[in-house]
Amino acid sequence: QFPFGRRLPCDIYWHGVSFHDNNIFSGQVNKFPGMMETVRKITLSRAMRTMQDLFPLEYNFYPRSWILPEELPLFVAEVRMMKDSNPSWKPTFIVKPDGGCQGDGIYLIKDPSDIRLTGSIQSRPAVVQEYICKPLLMDKLKFDIRLYVLLKSLEPLEIYIAKDGLSRFCTEPYQEPTLKNLHQVFMHLTNYSLNIHSGNFIHSDSVNTGSKRTFSSILCRLSSRGADVKKLWSDIISLVIKTIIALTPELKVYYQSDIPAGKPGPTCFQILGFDILLMKNLKPMLLEVNANPSMRIEHEQELSPGVFENVPSPVDEEVKVAVIRDTLRLVDPQKKKRRDTHLSFHTYLLIFPARLQSLHAGIASMKDKQHKHHSLKLSLKLKFYLKLGSCPSWEQAAGASAEPPEPAAARSPEAALPSLCLKQVFPKYAKQFSYLRLVDRVAALFIRFLGVKGTTKLGPTGFRTFIRNCKLSNSNFSMAAVDILYIDITRRWNSMGIDHKESGMCLQAFVEAFFCLAQKKYKSLPLHEQVASLIELCECRLAAVHGKRLVWG
Ligand code: ADP
């Protein structure tokens, strides 16, 4: 917080909500430009759909979804078709307003005709999604998992996952959805913000009982029942990497627009909250990604009617303090310097108390402004946890042995800290997943032809230049046809009303046009091979154009 303006540049800027700040030219910001927009329900669904079209098996961890109102006819038709081909299929669907959070406006339906069209669907678009009817239950209750993921860098891609997370429980025993119980939110929705209002909500100081527990306590229970916890972790890692791969193309477009290459600007990192539901067969399913996961480590308790007090929540504390502590350790700009000068991390925090306080004020303001005054308390806790915290679950689950202790003489100040609770998963597993990054390469072509710095949409001239430089037009596909393709797709995407600030072709529209061109050119191949072939062709032709330019000076 800088009430009198900021004079000196900072190493780390901790923003409460989003990236925006025009005066940052160096250092690191804890938010990526465009992240909020990219993880909104509709945008996420679109990105996942694109990946599902390319790689249906790899992306089957995201429930089948339709975007309302534009895909209402498609939703009705597809459900009718599936019901006709399988009369025993008795689906339930969940309708979620775009931009909503904490369960706000969510409801369940059994049939597309039950969608509440009372004007609101036009003004408030939504996602309708297949409802997962058979979740894994614990103590007869449905629960979901909140996992913290650090996107440390976009280019090159660097992803870390926290070894422990939270499990948030419903407060009424689960029953598969029927017309009678569809409206029972305490049975079907796991949101903490809803269930806290149920008389059955249990606050517990223990991490393995109550309505909010650590994920590691769930893993322990599952492991004692003989479940393959190692496979579960590996499925979760794969889900997280694949989801981020689906988000990166859009993020890169925003990034180049806010922080143009070659100009001074900060780098970015961000802690994301992944909401995951486990199915009965232990398959993890992605529900949503939160750009601003709550970092509160307290909860409200009603002492007497109408009198509330904030009390510490040990479960939140155990998980969240470690996530923030280790994010700071990973992005710590002084790390190298300190290694050279033997300055301890603890000392570093002490010499920048103002910065740490502003950081915590940011954290507190994320969800609830009135808790700002608790920031100093968290600051003290962080210092304490920097020395003491530990996250044993990952190693236990993955069966990895702890690293051997270094001899005392060789020990760095970092050795006094607990082992990192954030585990790198990318580029560690890059080899396994890189083939999925096709849309990233399409986005690179898009960005190359955007031309004007600071824009996120491609004009007609940029699109024509792309076609020309990649030599994609011929006697069967004239430049007039190119213009028609541009106008058709751009108009349709712009009529969906996502972003009216700029005119032109957005990334998703370009991706659709690109898929269309790929299908035309490589008719008999599966879609991902058609797209991969066209990308290679374009990259090759652009490299040749670039080569020629170099030769001719
Ligand atoms: P919000 O951002 O409002 O919390 P979510 O997408 O997280 O929206 O959904 C709220 C809750 O609804 C989830 O925590 C979960 O309990 C339940 N839920 C969401 N989608 C599904 C689904 N496809 N199947 C089963 N339950 C779901």
Side-chain angles (χ1 to χ4, degrees), residues 369-382:
K369 287 231 161 31
Q370 66 171 320
H371 296 288
K372 265 187 194 157
H373 62 278
H374 294 287
S375 62
L376 191 59
K377 238 157 91 184
L378 175 58
S379 160
L380 294 172
K381 274 182 183 137
L382 253 171

Side-chain angles (χ1 to χ4, degrees), residues 109-381:
I109 55 172
K110 290 297 274 182
D111 191 83
S113 61
D114 300 333
I115 284 193
R116 297 175 201 160
L117 283 169
T118 49
S120 66
I121 203 84
Q122 290 297 339
S123 57
R124 198 171 182 196
V127 167
V128 58
Q129 194 170 74
E130 218 176 311
Y131 185 74
I132 297 155
C133 292
K134 294 184 191 302
L136 179 74
L137 303 182
M138 202 142 273
D139 306 330
K140 300 200 172 92
L141 300 169
K142 175 174 170 177
F143 67 96
D144 77 351
I145 308 160
R146 158 63 58 86
L147 274 188
Y148 297 92
V149 170
L150 171 67
L151 180 54
K152 185 166 174 276
S153 153
L154 198 54
E155 194 74 86
L157 188 58
E158 250 187 276
I159 309 169
Y160 290 75
I161 304 183
K163 289 188 257 180
D164 205 356
L166 297 169
S167 303
R168 297 154 317 175
F169 279 70
C170 278
T171 40
E172 294 219 347
Y174 184 77
Q175 285 166 14
E176 283 196 31
T178 61
L179 282 175
K180 274 197 183 145
N181 70 30
L182 278 189
H183 60 281
Q184 297 194 26
V185 289
F186 298 148
M187 175 186 289
H188 291 292
L189 307 188
T190 50
N191 299 78
Y192 166 79
S193 50
L194 294 175
N195 284 281
I196 185 93
H197 299 296
S198 150
N200 296 337
F201 193 93
I202 304 170
H203 285 293
S204 168
D205 282 354
S206 155
V207 292
N208 50 19
T209 56
S211 299
K212 203 193 258 186
R213 312 180 193 175
T214 57
F215 179 43
S216 52
S217 77
I218 304 285
L219 288 174
C220 273
R221 289 264 294 265
L222 289 174
S223 176
S224 68
R225 290 186 202 165
D228 188 348
V229 173
K230 210 169 159 178
K231 160 134 189 356
L232 174 57
W233 257 122
S234 125
D235 289 346
I236 288 175
I237 292 171
S238 156
L239 174 154
V240 167
I241 295 176
K242 287 173 184 172
T243 303
I244 297 219
I245 285 178
L247 299 175
T248 52
E250 189 90 33
L251 285 174
K252 284 182 181 172
V253 173
Y254 281 108
Y255 200 92
Q256 60 80 40
S257 157
D258 276 271
I259 311 171
K263 286 213 177 137
T267 55
C268 304
F269 65 93
Q270 189 153 356
I271 299 172
L272 300 169
F274 272 64
D275 290 350
I276 293 169
L277 190 69
L278 294 183
M279 294 193 3
K280 214 173 185 169
N281 60 5
L282 286 192
K283 182 180 167 56
M285 297 291 286
L286 177 72
L287 297 180
E288 73 161 351
V289 180
N290 278 278
N292 289 317
S294 162
M295 285 297 174
R296 279 191 68 182
I297 56 167
E298 290 167 327
H299 63 80
E300 252 175 29
Q301 206 171 45
E302 194 165 13
L303 295 177
S304 53
V307 182
F308 291 91
E309 191 199 33
N310 286 309
V311 292
S313 164
V315 183
D316 286 288
E317 221 174 285
E318 167 137 356
V319 173
K320 294 174 182 176
V321 172
V323 169
I324 296 191
R325 176 198 67 208
D326 290 349
T327 298
L328 289 172
R329 280 165 81 184
L330 285 170
V331 302
D332 176 12
Q334 302 284 318
K335 208 175 194 167
K336 195 178 166 300
K337 218 170 165 192
R338 202 178 45 251
R339 215 177 287 138
D340 301 341
T341 59
H342 302 284
L343 187 69
S344 82
F345 186 60
H346 193 60
T347 316
Y348 164 60
L349 286 175
L350 286 175
I351 56 177
F352 295 108
R355 192 168 305 162
L356 197 66
Q357 275 183 40
S358 108
L359 156 83
H360 298 313
I363 295 161
S365 72
M366 278 178 202
K367 285 280 165 182
D368 195 339
K369 287 231 161 31
Q370 66 171 320
H371 296 288
K372 265 187 194 157
H373 62 278
H374 294 287
S375 62
L376 191 59
K377 238 157 91 184
L378 175 58
S379 160
L380 294 172
K381 274 182 183 137

Side-chain angles (χ1 to χ4, degrees), residues 518-519 521-534:
Q519 281 164 320
K521 204 164 176 67
Y522 305 98
K523 289 196 176 71
S524 55
L525 298 174
L527 181 65
H528 70 271
E529 285 183 34
Q530 292 172 330
V531 171
S533 305
L534 188 61

